[in-house]
Amino acid sequence: MAAIAEAPTHSTYDVVIVGGAMMGSSAAWFLTECPDFDGRVLVVERDTTYEACSPAHTNSCMRQQFSEELHVRISQFAAEFVKNFRDYLGDDERVPEILLRSHGYMYLADTEGFADVLRANLEVQRAAGAGTVLMTAGEIKATYPFYNVDDIVLGSINTVDEGYWDGWTVFDWLRRSARERGVEYVENEVVAMTRSRGRIESVTLNSGEVVACGQVVNASGPRASRTAAMACLDLPVEPRKRFSWIFSAERPLEQELPLTIDPSGVHVRENGGGTYLAGGHSEHDPAVDCDDFSMDHSLWQDFVWPALATRIPRFETIRVTREWAGHYAYNTFDQNAIMGPHPEVGNFIFLNGFSGHGLQQAPAMGRGTAEWLAYGEYRALDLAPFNYERIVKNVPIVERAVI
């Protein structure tokens, strides 16, 4: 495949996608799947190494344990898409089979209040066809004897299509396939937009080119509010730092570890080969600079490791082998996706604010955005509740299973 150029080959595109990581590439690829769309698509990505993008720092997990049915449906499509990834990409033999390791998420409740939330969520999930079950502390201990459950009231777990997968490979092949199907990628940066009569007429690139556009998609992750500001639009999305550690244990567990959501807020899961992956963030959780990926080493020593050792005593003796900081594209309004057109600038399309759920939601959200671009409506799933209009109307989506 040819190297990615800096300058676009045309001066006009039907769709310009700002950001070529998981969301931008998903929308671009699904556009190539729309039989009624034959327009010209440009993806503008500021760093085509993708070293700082969300897929490079993700924990690559998906779950169906949400309190909103639409979220469950979105994740169910993600599982279908990942498990049948090669088929979706035209049965291309170059595309690897993707394994969804369904160890499940284990939510642990240490209060009756949160236990009631898990019970209510179960009804929503079961109605949508999820395989969630509730477990008493005794049942958890019998099935997963490595846990300390002295303070636990109830647990919730689903081991059907819930776990972790190779998100980077899925992203890489969506991007590669989109390019092979005619989507043009450039390594450049949108630095300005021309807005007139309720439309974005053109975008200006850092290299000086002015590109006319039919529609613009904001898929710029933690930088989304900067992109929206170029169109003189407000967007409540900011970068929030999230930390991850891979560690080995002196005495590994004898069975696979579900992605455990501890009441402390720390989460940890199986990583394979006797290693584990933990994640968390500091109690003080401010917005950070988009280029700030520095580690907070005291967080591990003072908070994360003690929480792990308390919940799983085997983890008192462990060794960190890798660590990194990444960014959530954090929606400060309600921590849920912001999609669809701006009500006053109808050709500016949002694909933002996933607040840590972006990788698992990318297949459904990319498909939905492509449907909107091609048909002016959502077809496979009605994603209208996520549209930007709810921000204007001050009607948040209340999801009670936010991590």
Side-chain angles (χ1 to χ4, degrees):
M1 183 179 292
I4 294 176
E6 176 184 283
T9 58
H10 303 280
S11 60
T12 301
Y13 291 83
D14 296 279
V15 177
V16 173
I17 299 176
V18 185
M22 187 60 163
M23 282 297 168
S25 288
S26 179
W29 184 84
F30 274 102
L31 263 178
T32 70
E33 287 283 286
C34 291
D36 300 316
F37 180 83
D38 61 357
R40 188 180 292 156
V41 181
L42 176 69
V43 176
V44 183
E45 169 54 47
R46 61 190 301 276
D47 178 13
T48 56
T49 69
Y50 298 97
E51 291 178 344
C53 72
S54 295
H57 298 121
T58 179
N59 291 352
S60 289
C61 300
M62 71 168 68
R63 62 184 168 102
Q64 297 181 24
Q65 291 185 73
F66 289 92
S67 65
E68 292 291 312
E69 181 182 351
L70 184 52
H71 279 139
V72 181
R73 301 290 186 193
I74 288 166
S75 289
Q76 288 172 334
F77 176 65
E80 174 193 331
F81 188 75
V82 166
K83 292 192 301 181
N84 299 284
F85 189 57
R86 180 183 288 177
D87 291 341
Y88 272 98
L89 268 69
D91 201 26
D92 186 338
E93 292 184 355
R94 299 173 302 163
V95 177
E97 299 283 357
I98 305 296
L99 178 63
L100 173 54
R101 301 180 183 274
S102 296
H103 306 325
Y105 276 56
M106 173 67 82
Y107 280 84
L108 297 173
D110 62 349
T111 66
E112 281 295 341
F114 189 51
D116 285 341
V117 170
L118 295 182
R119 295 183 184 106
N121 291 353
L122 174 71
E123 298 304 315
V124 174
Q125 295 154 19
R126 284 282 185 85
T132 311
V133 296
L134 299 180
M135 303 177 74
T136 65
E139 290 169 334
I140 295 171
K141 190 68 175 180
T143 307
Y144 301 99
F146 49 78
Y147 285 127
N148 169 17
V149 294
D150 290 346
D151 60 336
I152 296 303
V153 176
L154 193 69
S156 175
I157 190 169
N158 171 24
T159 57
V160 180
D161 291 343
E162 189 170 276
Y164 70 99
W165 48 293
D166 186 351
W168 179 267
T169 295
V170 171
F171 155 63
D172 185 53
W173 274 98
L174 286 176
R175 176 185 58 85
R176 184 182 304 189
S177 179
R179 290 186 64 199
E180 290 179 351
R181 294 177 176 197
V183 174
E184 185 177 345
Y185 280 65
V186 294
E187 184 168 34
N188 214 309
E189 185 173 6
V190 174
V191 295
M193 297 185 186
T194 301
R195 173 179 163 180
S196 177
R197 297 184 297 277
R199 290 182 57 81
I200 303 301
E201 295 188 341
S202 65
V203 301
T204 301
L205 304 184
N206 188 50
S207 52
E209 292 88 355
V210 177
V211 178
C213 51
Q215 299 185 85
V216 176
V217 179
N218 182 356
S220 45
R223 298 174 183 269
S225 63
R226 296 184 181 184
T227 301
M230 296 177 201
C232 300
L233 302 175
D234 292 325
L235 184 64
V237 174
E238 62 189 29
R240 296 279 187 95
K241 198 179 289 188
R242 294 295 181 265
F243 301 94
S244 298
W245 298 265
I246 292 178
F247 62 90
S248 58
E250 185 177 82
R251 296 175 58 218
L253 305 177
E254 287 82 10
Q255 63 194 101
E256 292 171 333
L257 174 64
L259 194 152
T260 304
I261 312 299
D262 190 71
S264 66
V266 172
H267 62 268
V268 61
R269 68 159 170 84
E270 180 78 23
N271 192 58
T275 65
Y276 305 90
L277 187 152
H281 63 87
S282 58
E283 185 176 1
H284 178 55
D285 188 27
V288 298
D289 187 88
C290 289
D291 297 315
D292 178 5
F293 294 97
S294 61
M295 290 296 295
D296 178 357
H297 297 288
S298 66
L299 182 63
W300 170 262
Q301 189 71 27
D302 298 339
F303 177 60
V304 175
W305 183 18
L308 294 174
T310 298
R311 186 59 56 206
I312 303 175
R314 288 274 192 98
F315 289 167
E316 288 182 358
T317 307
I318 58 180
R319 180 171 65 90
V320 173
T321 58
R322 185 184 168 206
E323 61 185 11
W324 67 89
H327 293 163
Y328 273 10
Y330 191 90
N331 173 4
T332 61
F333 180 68
D334 63 8
Q335 296 183 56
N336 289 292
I338 302 172
M339 298 182 64
H342 189 276
E344 296 177 2
V345 187
N347 71 333
F348 189 97
I349 311 300
F350 295 92
L351 189 55
N352 306 116
F354 292 90
S355 305
H357 303 132
L359 196 73
Q360 64 182 300
Q361 294 188 334
M365 302 313 207
R367 180 182 63 178
T369 298
E371 290 169 346
W372 188 275
L373 293 167
Y375 306 112
E377 63 180 4
Y378 302 116
R379 293 192 168 184
L381 279 175
D382 183 6
L383 302 175
F386 296 111
N387 277 5
Y388 182 94
E389 193 172 10
R390 83 178 189 280
I391 310 294
V392 178
K393 293 181 178 180
N394 194 29
V395 182
I397 297 172
V398 181
E399 170 58 61
R400 293 175 294 176
V402 172
I403 298 174

